[in-house]
Amino acid sequence: MNYVRVFAHSNALLVSHVRNVLAAADIPVELRNMTLGGGAGELPLGECEPEVWVAPHNRARAEALIQDAMAGSDDRPDWTCPGCGETLEGVFESCWQCGTARE
């Protein structure tokens, strides 16, 4: 399947966060260039940045979710996991402790 790039950044942690946001929304994600940072200088910088890629039919939804995540516009209240009782911030769709989905 041909995927399209929806996000790239030099900070691999931010790229991983974007991947998690999309995965939580059930959007299949492919990460690329996660280990090319050491090649910067030898390779063009734009080709070394970690990237997030999705299927073309998921592009618009993914870009909207990324924009919301970067703007911090999720005003959902904190919640308690029904599986393990962990208190989670409203931005999370599933429990980081046990993996239970938000109700």
Side-chain angles (χ1 to χ4, degrees):
M1 176 181 287
N2 292 327
Y3 276 46
V4 293
R5 187 177 82 169
V6 291
F7 187 77
H9 199 278
S10 59
N11 183 334
L13 290 175
L14 185 56
V15 171
S16 293
H17 172 66
V18 167
R19 179 242 171 256
N20 292 340
V21 167
L22 298 181
D26 293 324
I27 296 176
V29 175
E30 186 176 294
L31 295 180
R32 297 185 185 174
N33 300 341
M34 293 301 287
T35 59
L36 286 181
E42 297 289 326
L43 298 170
L45 183 60
E47 293 181 24
C48 295
E49 286 187 329
E51 301 170 335
V52 178
W53 292 65
V54 299
H57 66 274
N58 287 324
R59 181 182 200 151
R61 184 169 170 236
E63 288 175 342
L65 287 167
I66 292 167
Q67 184 176 15
D68 286 348
M70 294 298 112
S73 64
D74 195 345
D75 294 333
R76 297 178 73 182
D78 291 353
W79 59 283
T80 301
C81 175
C84 69
E86 182 71 26
T87 300
L88 299 134
E89 294 179 19
V91 296
F92 295 105
E93 292 296 323
S94 62
C95 178
W96 65 267
Q97 180 77 9
C98 70
T100 300
R102 184 178 191 155
E103 292 179 338

